[in-house]
Amino acid sequence: MDSPPNLLLLLLPLLLLLPLHSSAIDPRKLFLVKPDPIVLNYHNGSLLTGNYTVNLLWYGRFSPSQRTIVADFIRSLSSSSTPPPSPSSWWRTTSFYAHGGARISLGRQIRDENLSLGKSLNDSSLLKLASQASPHRGAITAILTAPDVLVDDFCLSRCGFHDSAKAGRHGKARYTYLWVGNPTTQCPGDCAWPFHQPTHGPQTPPLVSPNGDVGMDGLIISLATLLAGTATNPYGDGYFQGPAEAPLEAVSSCTGIFGSGAFPGYPGTLLVDSTTGASYNAVGLAGRKYLLPAMWDPRTSQCATLV
């Protein structure tokens, strides 16, 4: 596992994020500054611990193969049968955060192909969708929107976000939810990099995506980012650096780093499939391959990569 390069990737969209959300940031809108050390401080709040299910709410049309890519990823996060480098070895880093350690499993899959709230959503719409998925404190609802669904600020300043809300008869129970958009048509150069030519920054050739679907492999990167943020900063008072309104979290503090030797415009040294030429750094259940972002490791205070 390697530390980040001498120049940290800091992100312009952080200035644009809406309050109360923790976002999966567009990794291509970068600028270079002399970095401060990455230190995610603990703010005395609760982290997710114990067993949690991830309920997938598919909003819009996704093919069976696309749904399988995500479902296999969730199943792989807590699998004991996949040796490193794997999604489970990547997820294990969240257990090194004090007061944390959530074990993730796949829960319900809900399909809303008829777009019950229309093709244009805002944050209130996403909260309404999350509230309709039978939320409870032992589950994370992940709302995944299809390429033709418009969501406020998607691509402009974020690729997704995670948040929490109240549930229960008296509104005292808290649950977590997140949203990620499929960027295939709206902004693949922003939210599917490094599998698409970047919209901003150094113009490096795109990598071959491991599942043969640029949008879904980009979605996996954002989903992984947000799940790690949910586990380690579920209610806005866990581990993060910077202001609570625009926090750098477990993975968003390491944006743009996927392998050793990463620097702006270069994701780092990765594994390459000899048959397809696809780049990846994790192998999950059934041999499915993924590219997962670096995660800040509290044991070393560095961005840890799988390869």
Side-chain angles (χ1 to χ4, degrees), residues 148-191:
D148 59 342
V149 175
L150 303 177
V151 178
D152 283 359
D153 295 314
F154 183 38
C155 302
L156 298 178
S157 63
R158 60 187 183 179
C159 305
F161 71 75
H162 76 85
D163 206 347
S164 64
K166 298 291 184 65
R169 179 177 298 178
H170 302 291
K172 294 183 179 180
R174 293 186 295 185
Y175 70 94
T176 58
Y177 69 98
L178 62 88
W179 155 71
V180 184
N182 183 331
T184 301
T185 57
Q186 296 185 49
C187 55
D190 295 316
C191 296

Side-chain angles (χ1 to χ4, degrees), residues 31 205 208 220:
F31 61 93
V208 178
I220 288 290

Side-chain angles (χ1 to χ4, degrees), residues 32 38 49 279:
L32 296 175
I38 301 177
T49 184
S279 295

Side-chain angles (χ1 to χ4, degrees), residues 11-77:
L11 303 154
L12 285 173
L14 287 174
L15 303 176
L16 306 174
L17 296 179
L18 297 175
L20 303 180
H21 289 158
S22 299
S23 299
I25 304 157
D26 169 351
R28 300 304 313 156
K29 296 178 181 176
L30 312 173
F31 61 93
L32 296 175
V33 299
K34 185 176 180 179
D36 293 324
I38 301 177
V39 178
L40 269 59
N41 295 311
Y42 176 51
H43 297 268
N44 302 312
S46 299
L47 276 65
L48 300 191
T49 184
N51 295 323
Y52 275 79
T53 57
V54 176
N55 296 325
L56 302 176
L57 196 162
W58 302 94
Y59 193 81
R61 293 191 178 276
F62 290 84
S63 69
S65 62
Q66 289 176 324
R67 295 195 298 270
T68 300
I69 291 170
V70 176
D72 283 351
F73 171 65
I74 300 299
R75 292 189 184 100
S76 297
L77 286 175

